[in-house]
Amino acid sequence: MTESVLEVRHVSSYYTKARRLSGTHSGFGERDMQVLRDVTFSIQKGETLGLVGESGSGKTTLCRAVLGLGMDYEGEIIHHTDHPQMVFQDPYSSLNPARTVGWTLREALRAGERRGKRASRPLVPEILGQVGLSEEYIDRYPYELSGGQRQRVCIAAAVIQRPQLILLDEPVSALDVTIQAQILRLLVRLKKEFGLSYLFISHDLNVIYQICDRVLVMKQGEIVESGDVRQVYEDPQHDYTKMLLAAVD
Amino acid sequence: MDQTAGEPAGVRSMDRHGEKEGTRQTFGRTSCGDSGDEMTDRQSQKNSGQQAPDLLKVSGLRVHFHNAAPERYAVNGVSFSLKRGDTLGIVGESGSGKTVTAMCVSGLMPRGKADEEGSILLDGREMFSCSEENLRRIRGQDVGVVFQDPMTTFDPLCRIGRQVEEALTVRGIPKMERRKRAVEAMGLAGLRDAEELYSRYPYELSGGMLQRASIAAAMITKPKLLICDEVTTALDVLIQEQILELLRNLNEDYGMTILFISHDLHVVKKICKSVLVMERGKIVESGETAEVFARPQHAYTKKLIASIPARAERCRTYD
Amino acid sequence: MKVLLRKILNLMIALLIVTLLTFLALQVIPGDPVTKMLGADATAAQAAQLRTRLGLDQPVLVRYGRWLLSFLKGDPGISYSYSMPVAEMLKGKLSVTVILTALSFAMTVLISIPLGILTARSESVRVNHFFLIMDQLFMALPPFFIGILSVYLFGIVLKLFAPGTYVPLSESVAGGLGYLLLPALAMALPRSAMTVKMLRSSIRSQMAEDYVRTARSRGLTDSQILHRHALRGAMVPVVTFLAQSAAEIMTGTIIIEQVFTIPGLGRLLLSSIGSRDFPVVQAIVVLMAVFVILVNFAADLINMAIDPRIRVS
Amino acid sequence: MKIRKNGFLKTGEIMSLVLATVIVTGFFWTPYGTTAMNAAEKTLPPSLHHLLGTDNFGRDVFSRVISGAGTSFLIALGVVAVGCIGGVLIGSLCGYFGGIADAVLMRVCDAITAFPAILLALVVVSLFGGGMANILLCLGLLFIPSFARVVRTEVARVRDMNYIQSARLMGVSTGRILLRHILPNTFPVLLPAVTIGFNNAVLAEASMSFLGVGIQPPQASLGSMLKDSQTYLNTAPWYALGTGGMIVLLVLAVSLLSEGIQQGTGRGQV
């Protein structure tokens, strides 16, 4: 097998009780404990791994744990590459409203240089071109951009440091369908161009099917099914996967 | 509801009939267009000759917001009709005018923010010539609306029951009966423990439950038309399924007429007998849902269908 | 219930801290009350005797404890300047200040709430602009300047009242209240302007919420929506602001009493500060602090009643 | 940030500009000496020689008002500077890092902001002595909590935004994230806080001087002049009007400016 870029071994995570109380406490409703239960998987180089599940299934918690964004967890997370990046769902809170597109991208470059990636410094207009935006966007503020354009800028900022792994948290869910298709195509192209690996999180199995090689199905913090996308689609084993598939059919 | 569910789907182009029935001509012209490349319509040929009374008949609807560019119409010549007991989907992306159309039909367009032209006949009554007073009577009584985000559709400071029965409250129904009907409607909307939930606050309920409660609130007056504006968008897929199931039951068991607005072709396919596809304020294609999906005629419809993440195609292969 | 208990506990802690801080602050002030009371040529023995009598020879915390206990019993000590019980000195003055504060606060509420609702409902651009300008103007008028202007206008030019002739309520209720009207109004006007502005924007932001559209779809009129829904939500920040206003008004009396020569707590506070009469200063500051804390607590309770979500978090 | 022009902004700009010019000029030159008495010209009504008349010592009220406004201006500026710098420092650190220090500091801030600043300032300044430095320091310290609270709330909100997470993933240092990524986002809430703080400081100084515990005579101060003018309300009403009017103008100019900016950035009311 090829080398892996990320290994997650037996990761569990708990929400403290106090936090739960202040957040979503209630005696009613369909609610899950926000816990990761013994999650194990790895991502190979050049692979797109899909992670599917409903809200509250622990997808985002897993993401934060992988990126080390202030999540406490048990188990092991081994990175075989430097500094993975992330693209978030909501393109409206993903860009600093007080800064222009150019500033954000230059800032990413600057931070990359501090990490010693001076060698192949790309230029801001060049990067914008790579994500399908023209130079005139350099001086635009986020509020002047559409959802799709913002997501392009976010993707540009994510690939600017040439990471090997990018986490995509529902990157197209907030977009119109035709824009979704464009962004998905962009992601595929960038992956080929830069040899990226993706962890692609979505609640939409159809989107996962389009872009991923393998898929993990997550329910209440547990991976209930995993395998090759086609295989999972054609022959789902777990009831939950079957329900999810039936829902998007 | 006096309509049998087995009737042929009732979407027809109104541009030809519209003029006969005295709609303002100027807009009859600009509406869907006769040329066929703007709008592809199978139903009009099939159904011409048949004249059952429509519950809703929109003709030559044009909306222009005052703060928009002069020639930028949010809705630009939209005509369609909807029979009792039918389910009609309006599909389009953001900015297609689908929500504005729904707002006009529900009588919720804010006053003085836009120019509206054309005609909306609801059960034979012209909405545009209604006084604000009459419009308000129509809202809640004849038309119920369910909105997108169940989390924000309720007043967070007000108990669920009070809000579910609100359409009755403002119509002077006594408290005991209100409560009875509210609990009934909530039960109908698939909420168990309706009695208990009646005195809960919105923050104590999950999104799916709130969406059920908001359907109950819209249904409580037994309106003639139920407008669902992106009701599943904010929900998880499995909950989406449940809500769609509920709406389907309301339509099949109680003959509720549903106007279903969505950007999601998938969802529309599951619930609507017929569908309108809108792009930049115009209807570009309409017909029976299955038919439109199987054989899309208009380029935009094709593009939309192609954009749906489907099993058949994968980005990797076509890029 | 749990939240309520926690709030009450917080309230107690706050009261304790405020009283302690006030007490400590007045201990570090330079100047020895004993020399002040006895004069410069008193003997050391006399001084020591007085010190013992006043309890000044004890450690600070012991003195604080003693003072707090007797304060709770209604005895805040003995005045250095007048050698009489502080409680005696405060008695008549406290009621004047409380009535003035209550009067002014009532005016603020009565002016601002209806006006705020009225201007929030108005859709006319002109009316809105007019009120925005009036808001700005009145917010810029400091109460003491309004006070001076009204003394000049009503007292000197129109001769409607004679400045400096406050009659205690015990002598004439109508006369006393009448005299307090202008000072109360002077404090209420700028506060009202601020409250109107706040209430208006609060209502506006509520009316832009999604649930308003939903209510409209049920056939409610705008005024039904306002009264059944929007107003409740809009009141939450306003209640908090009104509590703050009550506190500001209470301290504002210090100045306004000066302008209208009203014999209230403010004047007593100033003269006591001047004569370094610490027991009196301490008692007044603590009373005002307790008032402020209680008012804020009341606002919290009201908001808990309005918004169920506050009850759980 | 683009600011649309509007009536409030324009009026505020013009007023502030005129006032600033007058005040700055007043630091170097006034028509008459601010303490120069003239027994021959006691309580003269406004005229071309004395724009706002003279007071009971024959001093030119206009000159004294300008100079007093200068004092108010300097103190308010200093108070806001102390409060703002301290508040931004405490607020941003508390908001960003959270934890026990944050909880404790914010409790203290809550207690101090709940308490009317003027009462505390009054007691403290009167007991430690007036004078510009004492007033400035005392009010400045008392103003820190209100700034800290505003900044903290905003920083805590922005901290969890996706773009800050992104910046962290890109390897931007914490200091830089705070300074260059988060702080610019607090300006929209900091600006109204600064203007309100400025006005509160002007009023607090005036109030204290009015009560005789602030700026000490013969230095001109709007508050103490207003206090003096009260005695001569009968014979020289222009004294009170001119002095009080200046306070109103100072406050009005700044709040119009603030309202204008808020409306121009779409945050104000229509």
Side-chain angles (χ1 to χ4, degrees):
Chain A
M1 223 17 215
T2 45
E3 52 183 317
S4 64
V5 289
L6 174 74
E7 279 176 74
V8 173
R9 289 185 195 152
H10 308 295
V11 165
S12 296
S13 168
Y14 308 90
Y15 261 102
T16 57
K17 204 168 175 211
R19 219 150 151 194
R20 240 181 82 74
L21 272 174
S22 65
T24 57
H25 169 76
S26 160
F28 280 84
E30 314 108 284
R31 243 174 274 270
D32 300 316
M33 276 292 283
Q34 296 251 349
V35 182
L36 293 179
R37 281 176 217 164
D38 198 22
V39 173
T40 299
F41 66 90
S42 68
I43 303 176
Q44 309 301 317
K45 191 166 166 41
E47 182 187 41
T48 304
L49 178 66
L51 177 60
V52 74
E54 294 190 278
S55 56
S57 63
K59 295 175 295 184
T60 307
T61 313
L62 182 60
C63 247
R64 284 171 186 274
V66 166
L67 293 172
L69 289 174
M71 272 312 297
D72 292 332
Y73 60 86
E74 295 168 3
E76 270 184 293
I77 296 178
I78 305 159
H79 290 273
H80 295 292
T81 65
D82 287 342
H83 313 304
Q85 297 295 311
M86 181 156 178
V87 175
F88 296 90
Q89 168 176 12
D90 177 17
Y92 290 89
S93 66
S94 300
L95 290 173
N96 197 331
R99 299 296 193 181
T100 61
V101 168
W103 189 92
T104 300
L105 295 181
R106 278 193 300 275
E107 183 73 1
L109 276 177
R110 209 193 72 97
E113 278 178 6
R114 277 186 57 227
R115 282 173 168 172
K117 301 205 172 179
R118 196 180 296 268
S120 60
R121 177 178 179 158
L123 299 164
V124 171
E126 189 186 320
I127 300 154
L128 278 176
Q130 280 165 352
V131 296
L133 293 173
S134 60
E135 249 178 76
E136 60 191 284
Y137 286 94
I138 287 181
D139 294 322
R140 298 270 173 94
Y141 281 94
Y143 69 88
E144 297 172 298
L145 307 180
S146 69
Q149 289 166 340
R150 282 162 185 246
Q151 208 58 306
R152 283 174 193 274
V153 176
C154 291
I155 291 169
V159 298
I160 214 165
Q161 293 187 355
R162 300 282 181 266
Q164 285 187 288
L165 174 63
I166 298 182
L167 278 67
L168 304 156
D169 186 4
E170 307 254 9
V172 296
S173 305
L175 306 174
D176 273 331
V177 266
T178 50
I179 313 292
Q180 279 191 13
Q182 291 171 11
I183 298 290
L184 287 180
R185 247 174 265 144
L186 171 68
L187 286 172
V188 172
R189 205 188 72 222
L190 289 173
K191 179 178 144 177
K192 278 185 190 156
E193 214 163 300
F194 300 124
L196 301 167
S197 309
Y198 292 143
L199 176 60
F200 191 102
I201 297 172
S202 179
H203 68 280
D204 189 337
L205 267 168
N206 285 332
V207 172
I208 295 266
Y209 186 80
Q210 276 203 315
I211 192 167
C212 298
D213 303 303
R214 281 195 306 135
V215 63
L216 310 171
V217 181
M218 204 162 185
K219 185 193 180 192
Q220 291 174 14
E222 204 169 357
I223 292 175
V224 294
E225 182 155 1
S226 67
D228 180 77
V229 166
R230 277 167 222 261
Q231 196 188 321
V232 170
Y233 260 74
E234 273 144 35
D235 187 19
Q237 300 297 312
H238 197 276
D239 285 345
Y240 184 67
T241 317
K242 286 177 192 164
M243 274 165 71
L244 284 179
L245 274 172
V248 295
D249 193 14
Chain B
M1 305 293 149
D2 51 4
Q3 200 68 23
T4 51
E7 276 222 346
V11 180
R12 291 165 297 135
S13 162
M14 289 312 302
D15 49 353
R16 271 146 277 188
H17 315 290
E19 284 174 35
K20 264 183 255 159
E21 283 158 33
T23 341
R24 285 182 230 171
Q25 297 216 343
T26 25
F27 304 114
R29 284 261 159 267
T30 53
S31 67
C32 300
D34 300 46
S35 48
D37 57 17
E38 262 215 282
M39 173 169 175
T40 318
D41 188 351
R42 302 167 192 82
Q43 293 293 318
S44 60
Q45 285 116 36
K46 256 190 240 169
N47 290 349
S48 60
Q50 192 181 351
Q51 282 292 337
D54 297 316
L55 174 66
L56 174 69
K57 189 149 142 183
V58 177
S59 19
L61 179 67
R62 295 226 304 184
V63 179
H64 179 258
F65 282 98
H66 291 158
N67 56 6
E71 282 309 304
R72 183 84 174 81
Y73 284 84
V75 175
N76 196 353
V78 161
S79 303
F80 64 90
S81 67
L82 178 58
K83 284 186 190 308
R84 283 172 205 281
D86 262 343
T87 46
L88 169 65
I90 302 184
V91 180
E93 298 189 274
S94 48
S96 63
K98 57 185 194 308
T99 297
V100 178
T101 306
M103 295 265 275
C104 290
V105 173
S106 58
L108 274 174
M109 279 299 278
R111 294 258 147 162
K113 291 260 165 71
D115 294 323
E116 297 136 49
E117 297 161 298
S119 143
I120 297 176
L121 284 173
L122 180 71
D123 209 14
R125 197 151 39 147
E126 173 58 56
M127 303 262 294
F128 282 148
S129 55
C130 275
S131 64
E132 178 64 33
E133 182 71 30
N134 281 334
L135 263 187
R136 209 161 49 235
R137 244 171 246 148
I138 291 176
R139 295 199 291 254
Q141 183 72 62
D142 295 345
V143 183
V145 191
V146 184
F147 294 97
Q148 172 170 359
D149 188 351
M151 297 308 205
T152 58
T153 200
F154 286 101
D155 178 355
L157 308 185
C158 188
R159 291 177 200 277
I160 292 286
R162 222 173 100 95
Q163 301 191 60
V164 168
E165 67 188 24
E166 199 153 40
L168 300 178
T169 316
V170 293
R171 289 177 172 79
I173 310 284
K175 196 174 163 71
M176 287 314 290
E177 191 191 336
R178 262 175 9 218
R179 190 186 166 107
K180 204 184 109 231
R181 282 174 66 179
V183 170
E184 220 173 79
M186 284 159 79
L188 199 69
L191 287 169
R192 273 166 287 134
D193 303 320
E195 282 281 350
E196 163 84 44
L197 292 178
Y198 183 89
S199 47
R200 292 273 157 183
Y201 285 100
Y203 76 94
E204 298 176 291
L205 271 63
S206 70
M209 294 169 90
L210 284 175
Q211 200 58 301
R212 285 175 190 278
S214 105
I215 291 172
M219 293 283 304
I220 197 160
T221 51
K222 303 201 169 62
K224 294 169 184 156
L225 173 65
L226 184 67
I227 299 177
C228 298
D229 188 1
E230 301 266 10
V231 289
T232 56
T233 309
L235 303 171
D236 270 328
V237 263
L238 294 183
I239 313 287
Q240 278 188 20
E241 267 311 89
Q242 295 169 10
I243 296 292
L244 289 177
E245 181 68 34
L246 167 64
L247 291 175
R248 230 176 353 244
N249 289 344
L250 287 176
N251 173 249
E252 283 165 11
D253 302 347
Y254 300 90
M256 178 58 68
T257 316
I258 296 176
L259 181 61
F260 194 93
I261 319 289
S262 180
H263 72 280
D264 192 338
L265 283 161
H266 241 96
V267 172
V268 168
K269 202 165 136 190
K270 281 182 192 168
I271 188 162
C272 300
K273 275 199 211 85
S274 33
V275 65
L276 305 172
V277 181
M278 284 188 74
E279 186 197 17
R280 270 178 269 142
K282 292 190 176 176
I283 297 178
V284 295
E285 182 155 359
S286 70
E288 275 189 48
T289 315
E291 183 67 18
V292 170
F293 268 79
R295 279 172 287 282
Q297 304 286 316
H298 194 275
Y300 181 71
T301 318
K302 287 178 186 164
K303 188 177 161 200
L304 266 187
I305 293 176
S307 301
I308 308 181
R311 289 192 198 193
E313 291 172 287
R314 298 190 55 178
C315 273
R316 299 198 305 168
T317 53
Y318 66 69
D319 203 58
Chain C
M1 248 5 242
K2 232 178 167 175
V3 179
L4 189 66
L5 283 178
R6 208 168 57 218
K7 290 226 181 244
I8 292 176
L9 190 72
N10 279 344
L11 171 79
M12 296 298 170
I13 295 173
L15 288 173
L16 218 61
I17 291 175
V18 164
T19 48
L20 181 64
L21 283 183
T22 319
F23 191 86
L24 291 182
L26 291 172
Q27 305 304 310
V28 298
I29 302 288
D32 185 1
V34 172
T35 19
K36 187 169 164 39
M37 284 172 89
L38 294 176
D41 43 63
T43 62
Q46 278 177 303
Q49 195 189 1
L50 184 61
R51 228 174 265 280
T52 318
R53 190 160 68 81
L54 293 174
L56 290 176
D57 51 347
Q58 304 284 325
V60 171
L61 279 180
V62 174
R63 275 187 286 151
Y64 167 70
R66 276 195 196 168
W67 170 83
L68 187 65
L69 276 179
S70 58
F71 185 85
L72 288 175
K73 282 184 220 145
D75 170 28
I78 289 167
S79 159
Y80 293 162
S81 309
Y82 301 96
S83 300
M84 66 190 274
V86 176
E88 204 89 338
M89 294 171 68
L90 294 183
K91 220 194 261 161
K93 317 217 145 133
L94 184 61
S95 64
V96 177
T97 300
V98 166
I99 290 169
L100 181 56
T101 305
L103 203 59
S104 183
F105 183 70
M107 282 177 179
T108 307
V109 173
L110 290 180
I111 295 172
S112 61
I113 302 290
L115 218 53
I117 295 173
L118 207 71
T119 62
R121 289 181 60 170
S122 140
E123 272 163 28
S124 144
V125 176
R126 278 188 189 186
V127 171
N128 278 322
H129 247 94
F130 171 77
F131 273 105
L132 270 179
I133 292 167
M134 291 312 274
D135 270 346
Q136 292 293 333
L137 210 64
F138 275 100
M139 286 192 317
L141 284 172
F144 52 86
F145 186 49
I146 302 181
I148 290 175
L149 284 183
S150 54
V151 166
Y152 179 63
L153 187 66
F154 298 108
I156 294 174
V157 177
L158 299 175
K159 301 207 188 312
L160 289 177
F161 78 106
T165 57
Y166 173 74
V167 277
L169 288 176
S170 51
E171 283 170 33
S172 155
V173 175
L177 277 181
Y179 191 86
L180 292 182
L181 277 180
L182 273 181
L185 193 65
M187 292 190 287
L189 281 179
R191 277 284 137 190
S192 301
M194 294 177 211
T195 316
V196 166
K197 188 167 190 287
M198 171 147 219
L199 181 57
R200 180 180 45 222
S201 73
S202 187
I203 291 178
R204 288 269 159 101
S205 73
Q206 285 290 318
M207 289 303 273
E209 291 281 324
D210 274 358
Y211 72 77
V212 170
R213 187 181 57 175
T214 309
R216 206 168 270 145
S217 83
R218 293 180 190 138
L220 272 74
T221 61
D222 275 8
S223 90
Q224 278 172 323
I225 293 173
L226 184 69
H227 291 112
R228 286 176 64 90
H229 299 291
L231 203 50
R232 280 162 64 100
M235 281 311 285
V236 171
V238 176
V239 165
T240 310
F241 183 76
L242 280 174
Q244 211 185 322
S245 294
E248 298 279 353
I249 289 172
M250 170 60 110
T251 45
T253 57
I254 300 173
I255 301 174
I256 218 74
E257 281 171 8
Q258 210 61 7
V259 174
F260 285 87
T261 43
I262 298 166
L265 282 189
R267 287 179 73 88
L268 181 61
L269 176 68
L270 289 175
S271 62
S272 307
I273 288 176
S275 60
R276 313 235 147 201
D277 195 348
F278 294 145
V280 181
V281 174
Q282 194 165 297
I284 294 175
V285 172
V286 165
L287 275 177
M288 288 194 168
V290 168
F291 173 80
V292 169
I293 289 170
L294 287 180
V295 164
N296 281 315
F297 181 65
D300 270 3
L301 289 188
I302 294 174
N303 279 340
M304 267 169 76
I306 296 177
D307 190 341
R309 288 168 301 179
I310 305 177
R311 277 174 237 162
V312 287
S313 63
Chain D
M1 263 305 150
K2 283 171 197 156
I3 300 175
R4 276 181 292 106
K5 287 272 166 196
N6 56 63
F8 287 103
L9 190 60
K10 264 185 237 156
T11 324
E13 274 172 357
I14 294 169
M15 279 178 70
S16 309
L17 219 65
V18 172
L19 279 174
T21 315
V22 170
I23 286 170
V24 171
T25 315
F27 290 141
F28 307 103
W29 175 84
T30 46
Y32 296 86
T34 52
T35 51
M37 303 185 195
N38 187 342
E41 295 190 331
K42 275 187 192 169
T43 58
L44 289 181
S47 65
L48 277 180
H49 292 289
H50 298 286
L51 282 176
L52 292 174
T54 60
D55 68 2
N56 49 306
F57 293 113
R59 294 176 294 195
D60 180 47
V61 173
F62 185 64
S63 303
R64 283 180 63 74
V65 163
I66 292 174
S67 151
T71 313
S72 294
F73 185 77
L74 280 185
I75 289 180
L77 224 54
V79 167
V80 169
V82 172
C84 193
I85 291 169
V88 167
L89 214 65
I90 293 175
S92 54
L93 291 178
C94 280
Y96 191 80
F97 294 107
I100 297 172
D102 169 45
V104 171
L105 274 173
M106 282 306 124
R107 261 292 147 71
V108 173
C109 285
D110 279 350
I112 298 178
T113 29
F115 211 78
I118 172 80
L119 181 61
L120 292 183
L122 187 67
V123 174
V124 174
V125 171
S126 63
L127 295 174
F128 286 100
M132 226 162 131
N134 267 1
I135 295 175
L136 199 152
L137 205 66
C138 178
L139 283 179
L141 290 176
L142 284 174
F143 274 42
I144 287 178
S146 61
F147 284 101
R149 262 178 16 146
V150 167
V151 172
R152 194 208 91 102
T153 313
E154 202 59 14
V155 169
R157 186 182 68 82
V158 173
R159 178 193 62 187
D160 293 330
M161 287 289 181
N162 290 339
Y163 53 84
I164 299 303
Q165 309 271 23
S166 291
R168 224 170 275 156
L169 288 176
M170 282 166 195
V172 181
S173 65
T174 303
R176 194 174 165 85
I177 285 181
L178 253 176
L179 223 58
R180 307 273 286 152
H181 292 246
I182 296 182
L183 270 189
N185 283 295
T186 63
F187 291 159
V189 296
L190 205 54
L191 184 85
V194 164
T195 53
I196 291 170
F198 182 90
N199 285 350
N200 282 343
V202 168
L203 292 179
E205 184 273 322
S207 305
M208 283 161 62
S209 303
F210 183 85
L211 294 174
V213 293
I215 302 292
Q216 298 303 319
Q219 191 182 358
S221 147
L222 295 176
S224 57
M225 285 166 66
L226 207 53
K227 165 90 187 142
D228 292 343
S229 76
Q230 245 199 306
T231 326
Y232 306 97
L233 215 46
N234 247 324
T235 48
W238 51 85
Y239 190 8
L241 283 176
T243 315
M246 185 48 126
I247 299 177
V248 174
L249 283 182
L250 260 181
V251 173
L252 195 59
V254 174
S255 70
L256 280 179
L257 209 56
S258 150
E259 178 73 23
I261 291 173
Q262 277 175 275
Q263 281 199 5
T265 51
R267 271 170 240 274
Q269 306 170 11
V270 184

